[in-house]
Amino acid sequence: MKRLVTLLLPLLCLASYASAQLRPNDYEWMNAIRSDHPRMFFTSEDVPLIVNNAMMFDVTTYNILQRRTNRAIQKGIEFKDELAQRNSIAQYGYRASDAAMLWAISKSPEHLELAKTLLKRMTAYYELRMANNLDIRGSIYSIVSVLCTYDWLYNDLTPEERAEWGKRLYEVSCKIAWHGKDLRAKRPGENVNGPNTSFNGTSALPWYIGLTFYGEGIDDEACKKMLRNGYDQHQKMTVNRAKMLGKNGGLNSGTVANGFDDYPYAEYNLIYTFRSAMGIDITPQMNYMLGYVRYFDWMTLPNNREFGIGESNHSDNRLSRNTVSHIREIANLFVKTNPDKFDWFVGLIARYNDPNPRPSTLHFMPLLHRYHFEFDDVESVADAKNKQSMRFAHLGQIAMRSGMSDKDTYAVFLTERKDQKRQHYDLNHFVIYKNGYRAPDSGTRTGRGLH
């Protein structure tokens, strides 16, 4: 079989990064925080790389950002139902960072104007929600995008804008972030998911606030506390997730689509922000993330399908459109420190290729990639040579396969697991697949145990 695999390493703006061990109560890395902006996810030295990606290697992401931003410019900005328990205003947080990223790439004045407008509008929106004790809706990644917008536009804001809007964004972000005993009660509907879950709730926000505003003179002592808190919480997350994955890997959930949805972004973000703000590479200490890819390798089927176990809806058992985005992200972050996994990464990207992949939760993320994978008729590369089964102990799942082609036989057996999260009482259940589902998990689940 003809096989062409190309690794394109951009020669622009490649820095040599120090390595750091994630240890509790060790805050020496704080001495390395950049004093300038931008420093959230990328730096001024990275801009040529981003432009290169937008023009050559990831035109798709660039075009998505342009379409969404131009739509916002043409249709205008309209905040509806700002005090409603549920609304769609969070999308404008993402539009703000889209516009700020496009400004960094093209220096188009209309993108700068939109980004500044949305920065101010979203800050005022958060203030209104806090004044009425309302949550900010869903994950924190919308407000993280707004913090990125402020950081990326910092050098293009007037001193007056930085003083007013920076201080207001800082203060309202702190009101959103801090909750718990002797602080405030959880707001109705608020996502407070901590380090033992998806870690995409307000518990994770102090890290991003501290990185954005540290050294700006608004309240540097508070920022130090937030950075230490954020670091400690992320350290708990990495320890917990590495423990759950064990020797062979797995996910944070026994349902494939759920576990490979928002969960890994907390880890991606930690890696990117350590690299951009401190110049420190922490990927060697987070090598357990390769276990996510290994789990996906074993728990998915031909034709972009999965076994459909746990909380899956079983409408068609197709893989989530996030699949390729996650595999590309992990491959990009870890191929340098794991060059022996290169063929495996490329084979998986080709195997699970999706003509319409879902954009990353943080839409700009692919433009930060330093490695690019190209392939033509790439054959699948086995994770473990000649191995026909793999046990994922924490999830209580044993995957089996006779090979890796469309005609091979695949099976999964569910045994006792350490927790029942999204398992839906499927103990001793099995699925067999060969040219279709021979022994499927029938029906659908609408809640724990319901069938």
Side-chain angles (χ1 to χ4, degrees):
M1 176 183 291
K2 180 182 177 183
R3 186 163 181 259
L4 172 64
V5 182
T6 304
L7 175 64
L8 297 171
L9 176 60
L11 300 178
L12 296 170
C13 303
L14 290 182
S16 176
Y17 295 105
S19 179
Q21 178 72 42
L22 284 181
R23 294 189 297 265
N25 305 319
D26 179 0
Y27 308 116
E28 290 185 8
W29 49 266
M30 289 183 65
N31 298 324
I33 296 177
R34 298 174 66 108
S35 60
D36 61 343
H37 297 268
R39 60 190 181 206
M40 286 273 281
F41 291 90
F42 73 89
T43 69
S44 57
E45 292 88 352
D46 294 320
V47 172
L49 171 70
I50 292 170
V51 172
N52 201 37
N53 282 339
M55 299 297 114
M56 295 182 61
F57 301 124
D58 204 341
V59 179
T60 299
T61 296
Y62 180 56
N63 287 340
I64 289 173
L65 265 59
Q66 284 189 309
R67 283 198 303 271
R68 290 176 170 174
T69 304
N70 292 338
R71 191 180 305 126
I73 293 172
Q74 293 165 4
K75 291 187 174 182
I77 302 166
E78 185 178 5
F79 283 19
K80 293 182 178 180
D81 303 321
E82 293 184 61
L83 294 178
Q85 186 62 41
R86 305 182 70 88
N87 62 47
S88 59
I89 294 175
Q91 65 169 312
Y92 286 112
Y94 298 112
R95 295 297 89 75
S97 62
D98 291 349
M101 176 62 80
L102 290 174
W103 164 247
I105 294 171
S106 65
K107 296 300 179 184
S108 171
E110 62 181 2
H111 293 148
L112 175 61
E113 185 61 30
L114 178 64
K116 290 175 68 172
T117 298
L118 287 172
L119 170 64
K120 297 172 183 179
R121 291 288 300 274
M122 289 302 293
T123 300
Y125 166 69
Y126 295 138
E127 290 172 333
L128 179 65
R129 299 287 288 188
M130 294 303 100
N132 288 273
N133 196 35
L134 296 169
D135 72 310
I136 60 169
R137 301 291 309 124
S139 79
I140 60 166
Y141 295 136
S142 174
I143 190 171
V144 168
S145 296
V146 176
L147 291 168
C148 286
T149 302
Y150 174 79
D151 174 66
W152 300 348
L153 297 184
Y154 185 88
N155 299 314
D156 301 294
L157 298 174
T158 66
E160 294 75 20
E161 287 174 323
R162 288 200 291 266
E164 178 184 357
W165 292 99
K167 190 171 188 295
R168 287 177 62 177
L169 179 59
Y170 169 81
E171 290 177 346
V172 76
S173 297
C174 289
K175 290 179 181 178
I176 294 169
W178 294 109
H179 59 86
K181 185 179 180 181
D182 300 325
L183 293 172
R184 67 167 174 83
K186 176 182 174 182
R187 295 186 174 99
E190 181 179 9
N191 174 4
V192 297
N193 287 346
N196 291 333
T197 58
S198 59
F199 205 30
N200 64 355
T202 51
S203 302
L205 197 50
W207 174 254
Y208 302 98
I209 302 171
L211 283 181
T212 302
F213 292 103
Y214 179 68
E216 296 308 311
I218 297 176
D219 192 340
D220 289 341
E221 285 304 311
C223 285
K224 284 183 181 179
K225 292 179 181 178
M226 283 189 282
L227 285 167
R228 290 170 180 166
N229 173 278
Y231 176 82
D232 290 344
Q233 294 299 307
H234 279 87
Q235 199 268 344
K236 289 179 182 178
M237 174 195 72
T238 60
V239 169
N240 179 63
R241 293 189 180 185
K243 182 179 178 180
M244 285 198 299
L245 266 61
K247 177 182 176 181
N248 292 332
L251 288 175
N252 293 278
S253 166
T255 300
V256 174
N258 174 267
F260 223 1
D261 192 11
D262 261 0
Y263 275 79
Y265 281 102
E267 289 144 300
Y268 303 155
N269 296 352
L270 183 66
I271 293 171
Y272 274 119
T273 52
F274 246 97
R275 187 170 75 182
S276 60
M278 279 78 78
I280 295 173
D281 179 14
I282 60 172
T283 53
Q285 287 70 52
M286 297 178 69
N287 225 38
Y288 69 86
M289 292 185 72
L290 296 177
Y292 296 160
V293 182
R294 180 173 297 112
Y295 179 77
F296 232 82
D297 182 354
W298 281 89
M299 297 300 296
T300 52
L301 304 171
N303 302 313
N304 285 338
R305 297 185 187 277
E306 56 156 307
F307 285 110
I309 53 180
E311 201 179 46
S312 297
N313 287 325
H314 306 308
S315 57
D316 54 17
N317 283 354
R318 294 195 66 82
L319 290 173
S320 165
R321 288 173 55 208
N322 293 327
T323 304
V324 176
S325 295
H326 281 301
I327 294 174
R328 284 183 181 274
E329 197 63 56
I330 294 174
N332 192 272
L333 290 171
F334 288 90
V335 71
K336 181 180 178 181
T337 52
N338 296 272
D340 59 311
K341 303 294 184 184
F342 175 63
D343 287 348
W344 181 46
F345 288 145
V346 175
L348 285 171
I349 292 170
R351 180 180 175 191
Y352 302 124
N353 201 15
D354 186 338
N356 297 298
R358 179 176 294 159
S360 299
T361 294
L362 295 176
H363 306 148
F364 57 81
M365 197 168 279
L367 295 176
L368 307 179
H369 288 183
R370 298 178 179 277
Y371 298 86
H372 300 275
F373 303 86
E374 294 184 351
F375 40 82
D376 180 23
D377 293 333
V378 180
E379 62 188 54
S380 294
V381 177
D383 166 46
K385 190 174 182 180
N386 299 323
K387 197 171 183 66
Q388 292 186 307
S389 66
M390 183 70 70
R391 179 180 179 231
F392 301 98
H394 177 79
L395 298 174
Q397 297 173 1
I398 300 174
M400 295 159 274
R401 61 191 181 198
S402 61
M404 298 177 66
S405 74
D406 291 353
K407 296 181 180 179
D408 278 298
T409 302
Y410 300 79
V412 66
F413 182 73
L414 276 61
T415 66
E416 185 176 4
R417 57 180 291 180
K418 295 182 179 180
D419 67 76
Q420 295 300 312
K421 184 170 60 176
R422 302 185 186 275
Q423 176 99 333
H424 291 277
Y425 308 132
D426 278 347
L427 187 65
N428 292 335
H429 175 72
F430 61 90
V431 174
I432 300 173
Y433 181 98
K434 181 179 176 65
N435 296 320
Y437 294 90
R438 301 305 174 191
D441 187 359
S442 60
T444 189
R445 278 100 173 113
T446 57
R448 184 178 176 88
L450 300 179
H451 188 179

